[in-house]
């Protein structure tokens, strides 16, 4: 006759031996800190390993930021589902953007006929002030607005990562940079840099297109996040842009020429 082992005792729901459950908020905070530090460390390590970067996919993203930017931002949502983060974990896009930023700034500086020293200053200014400095400010503003006012359920654990906000800025900055530093170049010294009315129209139209595309990409970046609501308020800057454009055209104010002169003044007054 087979001998069966005794069954374990069944504890009732009122058993006094149950352990207290850990605090969800405390557990989440510790895990978030660990994951954020781990993700940051992994990103920095991959920054120095070109063989680990997917440059083909980064080029695909740059192409579709012009053709169909929605596809790029939908990929961010897919990354959240597969890797539990919205922000990029591959620095390939950042490396290509830095290279493109360097080359386009040099071309822009040559068209402005800057000396070698002023050209170096110009490249440093564009990279560290226009791209990184302004990007940190805009990413912080959008990070605060989205987490403070746009979360659907304030009691949920969902939040917008600051790194994702900065990624959205980089996505939006690439078309802006291309329009102003590449597409505008053939017109810069031939038509735009004059006192003609058509110069103001063409120059200001380039700036309107660049900044509009920038804010539109910012909107797309936050609109794809499923836990945000009322993201259409991020389109409000378009009203100001159109108003400024019409006023500058009406008063024959050439923004491209003004900004070129402002660049030259800042570069001449800035000593390395």
């Amino acid at each position: 006759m087979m001998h069966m082992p005794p069954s374990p005792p069944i504890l009732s729901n009122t058993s006094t031996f149950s352990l207290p459950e850990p605090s969800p908020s405390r557990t989440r905070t510790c895990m978030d800190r660990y994951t954020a530090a781990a993700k940051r460390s992994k990103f920095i390590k991959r920054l120095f390993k070109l063989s680990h970067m997917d440059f083909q996919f980064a080029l695909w993203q740059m192409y579709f930021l012009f053709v169909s930017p929605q596809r790029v931002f939908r990929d961010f949502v897919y990354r959240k589902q597969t890797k539990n983060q919205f922000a990029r974990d591959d620095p390939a896009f950042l490396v290509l953007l830095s290279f493109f930023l360097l080359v386009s700034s040099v071309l822009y500086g040559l068209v402005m006929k800057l000396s070698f020293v002023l050209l170096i200053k110009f490249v440093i200014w564009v990279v560290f002030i226009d791209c990184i400095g302004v990007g940190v400010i805009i990413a912080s503003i959008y990070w605060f607005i989205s987490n403070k006012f746009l979360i659907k359920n304030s009691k949920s654990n969902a939040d917008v990562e600051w790194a994702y906000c900065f990624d959205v800025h980089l996505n939006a900055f690439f078309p802006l940079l291309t329009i102003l530093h590449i597409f505008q170049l053939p017109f810069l010294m031939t038509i735009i840099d004059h006192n003609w009315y058509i110069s103001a129209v063409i120059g200001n139209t380039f700036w309107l297109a660049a900044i509009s595309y920038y804010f539109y990409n910012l909107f797309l970046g936050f609109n794809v996040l499923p836990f945000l609501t009322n993201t259409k308020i991020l389109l409000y800057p378009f009203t100001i842009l159109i108003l400024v454009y019409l006023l500058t055209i009406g008063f024959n104010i050439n923004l491209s020429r003004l900004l070129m002169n402002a660049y030259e003044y800042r570069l001449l007054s800035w000593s390395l």
Side-chain angles (χ1 to χ4, degrees):
M1 181 177 180
M2 182 180 296
H3 175 70
M4 300 296 294
S7 302
I10 300 176
L11 299 178
S12 64
N13 293 335
T14 58
S15 173
T16 57
F17 295 96
S18 59
L19 296 176
E21 296 183 359
S23 170
S25 59
R26 184 176 179 181
T27 303
R28 181 177 178 273
T29 303
C30 295
M31 289 301 297
D32 283 350
R33 288 175 181 174
Y34 170 75
T35 8
K39 292 173 184 176
R40 184 167 54 249
S41 175
K42 180 181 178 182
F43 186 88
I44 294 174
K45 288 179 180 178
R46 293 187 67 178
L47 193 58
F48 299 96
K49 297 179 180 179
L50 295 179
S51 60
H52 292 189
M53 300 183 195
D54 190 350
F55 289 105
Q56 183 177 359
F57 182 67
L59 288 172
W60 174 89
Q61 288 183 320
M62 288 181 166
Y63 170 74
F64 277 100
L65 281 172
F66 280 100
V67 179
S68 179
Q70 295 91 339
R71 294 184 61 175
V72 178
F73 289 107
R74 281 199 298 266
D75 178 70
F76 280 68
V77 177
Y78 175 74
R79 185 182 300 111
K80 178 64 175 180
Q81 297 171 351
T82 56
K83 299 183 179 181
N84 195 30
Q85 68 179 75
F86 284 108
R88 287 186 177 94
D89 59 341
D90 185 353
F93 184 90
L94 179 60
V95 172
L96 288 180
L97 178 62
S98 302
F99 176 77
F100 187 81
L101 190 61
L102 175 64
V103 173
S104 63
S105 298
V106 169
L107 291 175
Y108 193 92
L110 291 175
V111 171
M112 290 174 61
K113 299 179 180 179
L114 299 176
S115 65
F116 179 76
V117 175
L118 291 182
L119 184 61
I120 298 299
K121 292 180 180 180
F122 177 71
V123 172
I124 293 175
W125 187 282
V126 171
V127 173
F128 291 99
I129 304 298
D130 292 348
C131 181
I132 298 177
V134 174
V136 167
I137 294 173
I138 292 180
S140 301
I141 292 174
Y142 274 72
W143 172 79
F144 174 78
I145 292 175
S146 57
N147 284 310
K148 185 72 175 178
F149 304 107
L150 303 182
I151 300 290
K152 283 183 181 179
N153 184 3
S154 58
K155 296 181 180 180
S156 68
N157 292 330
D159 65 339
V160 182
E161 307 163 1
W162 187 92
Y164 175 77
C165 298
F166 192 74
D167 261 348
V168 172
H169 156 72
L170 294 180
N171 283 351
F173 189 80
F174 174 69
L176 179 146
L177 178 73
T178 305
I179 292 172
L180 296 180
H181 282 201
I182 301 297
F183 296 162
Q184 186 183 214
L185 282 186
F187 305 90
L188 201 57
M189 305 305 294
T190 56
I191 299 178
I192 295 176
D193 193 22
H194 293 280
N195 291 322
W196 310 329
Y197 181 75
I198 189 64
S199 301
V201 172
I202 295 176
N204 294 3
T205 301
F206 271 110
W207 276 94
L208 175 67
I211 299 179
S212 297
Y213 216 94
Y214 178 82
F215 280 110
Y216 176 65
N217 276 314
L218 287 181
F219 161 73
L220 290 179
F222 292 91
N223 191 52
V224 297
L225 300 181
F227 53 86
L228 295 185
T229 185
N230 297 326
T231 53
K232 290 183 179 180
I233 66 171
L234 301 179
L235 295 174
Y236 288 172
F238 278 95
T239 305
I240 301 175
L241 285 177
I242 297 297
L243 180 61
V244 171
Y245 174 76
L246 293 176
L247 288 175
T248 54
I249 292 298
F251 288 98
N252 194 20
I253 300 174
N254 191 332
L255 292 178
S256 291
R257 200 176 187 194
L258 283 176
L259 291 167
M260 284 175 59
N261 294 334
Y263 264 126
E264 291 181 358
Y265 174 78
R266 284 183 294 181
L267 295 174
L268 289 171
S269 60
W270 173 39
S271 57
L272 283 173

